[in-house]
Structures are given as structure tokens and as C-alpha cells.
Amino acid sequence: SQQGEEDPQALSIQEGENATMNCSYKTSINNLQWYRQNSGRGLVHLILIRSNEREKHSGRLRVTLDTSKKSSSLLITASRAADTASYFCATLDNYGQNFVFGPGTRLSVLP
Amino acid sequence: DVKVTQSSRYLVKRTGEKVFLECVQDMDHENMFWYRQDPGLGLRLIYFSYDVKMKEKGDIPEGYSVSREKKERFSLILESASTNQTSMYLCASTFEGAVDEQYFGPGTRLTVT
């Protein structure tokens, strides 16, 4: 069964606006990671947040983690057309062995 | 920079053919992974390996096998390709335990006709 579930499945915004994507998961985790995938390409790691962290920043990215709700959000501020991609959350279980990816959110940033 | 390469970007095979997908990483990573990616399903783990000659089944190993004869190379084998194995295949690698970020190859889009 799917561990990470991103929400929404697709998001379309104007350049300069903020984009927020959410991820929910079912079991206890060691960490949660966000990846970006440009069309037809491999995944690129964006940011990792550990289970004992609540918020993390990296450039225009802000990730929050709420382990009580088993959810995370990825905020991209001041979006650019180049941010157009699919975004995936991946959770690492407490055994530290398996990543489980969600189906992804497809973000379109319109110029 | 870590580089993960995959032998083909696009591949078209016939039903029943044996298919080899190869993945090579150049950073001496212990762990390597094979995923398939399908629309609406995200990435699903097929097999992974924590060391040379070592393999573990992932979530969907049926119809696949793997080989890890050298640390840098992890091969995915479709013994007898079927149309439901048409998919994007992504290879990834990490150091030691899978705690750190995964480094992905560009993917191989396999079509089985």
C-alpha cells in the first residue's frame, strides 16, 4: 500500500505565487524527504527532514513535519517557471531499510 | 558530484524477450535500488542491494531478478518481458544504510510490445 500520499495531485499557479504541497503517511518514520522530477528525467533530492525536526528551510523551500498527524508540507515561495515539475515525498521507515514514495504532485508554474 | 548512469534512456522489446537494464554509480555507494514508476502510483521498489552479491526483494519483485557482481553495478533482469512491465525504470544509490538521500539515474523508459 502507498505510504506517502501527496496532495493535491496537480497544482497550477502563476509565477511569483507560493506553492504548497502536502504529504501524508501511515507508519512511523525515520525521516521524510522531498524529491523533484522534471519531465521524463530522474529524481533530484530537495530536502530531508528527520522525525525529531519540525521545520526545515533550504533556499525558497520550506518543509514542515507533523509526526502526530503523520503529515508533511513542502512550500515553494516566489515560484518560477523552472519549478514546473513533479514533486514526490518519500518516507524512510524506522527499520532504516526502505524508502516509500507517494504518487507525486504535478506542479505547473505559468509565466 | 555523484553520478548514476543507466544503460539506455529508451528501450523497446517484444513480449517474451529477456531484458537487461544496467545501472552504474561512481561514488562507491554500498546500496543500490531499482524502482519502477507508473502514473498515479509513484515509485515502487522492485529490488535493492546492500552489498556485492547481496539482494533483497522490494514491494514488487515478481517477474524481475537482479545481479550485483561488482559494487558499482546493479542490473535488473526481466527474464521474459510482458506488456505489463512497460514502465519507467529508475535506479538509485546511497551510502551505507538508506538514511541519506538517494541519488537517481535518468531512468529507462521500457516499452514491451
Side-chain angles (χ1 to χ4, degrees), chain B residues 38-94:
Chain B
D38 301 288
L41 296 177
L43 276 73
R44 292 180 291 167
L45 182 65
I46 304 171
Y47 267 97
F48 59 100
S49 170
Y50 285 146
D51 204 349
V52 175
K53 296 193 187 295
M54 182 270 183
K55 60 185 178 185
E56 293 283 346
K57 292 180 180 179
D59 297 323
I60 51 164
E62 294 78 20
Y64 303 94
S65 62
V66 290
S67 173
R68 184 112 181 254
E69 295 297 318
K70 293 184 178 180
K71 192 175 186 180
E72 67 271 18
R73 190 180 297 269
F74 192 35
S75 301
L76 180 69
I77 303 155
L78 287 66
E79 294 290 340
S80 178
S82 62
T83 54
N84 63 11
Q85 292 178 309
T86 292
S87 186
M88 169 73 93
Y89 289 87
L90 292 164
C91 173
S93 70
T94 70

Side-chain angles (χ1 to χ4, degrees), chain A residues 1 5 7 16 25 36 44 48 51 66 76 82 86 92-93 105:
Chain A
S1 63
E5 293 280 345
D7 165 46
Y25 57 91
R36 183 188 73 223
V44 174
L48 179 155
S51 59
D66 186 337
I76 304 174
S86 291
L92 180 69
D93 63 28
T105 292

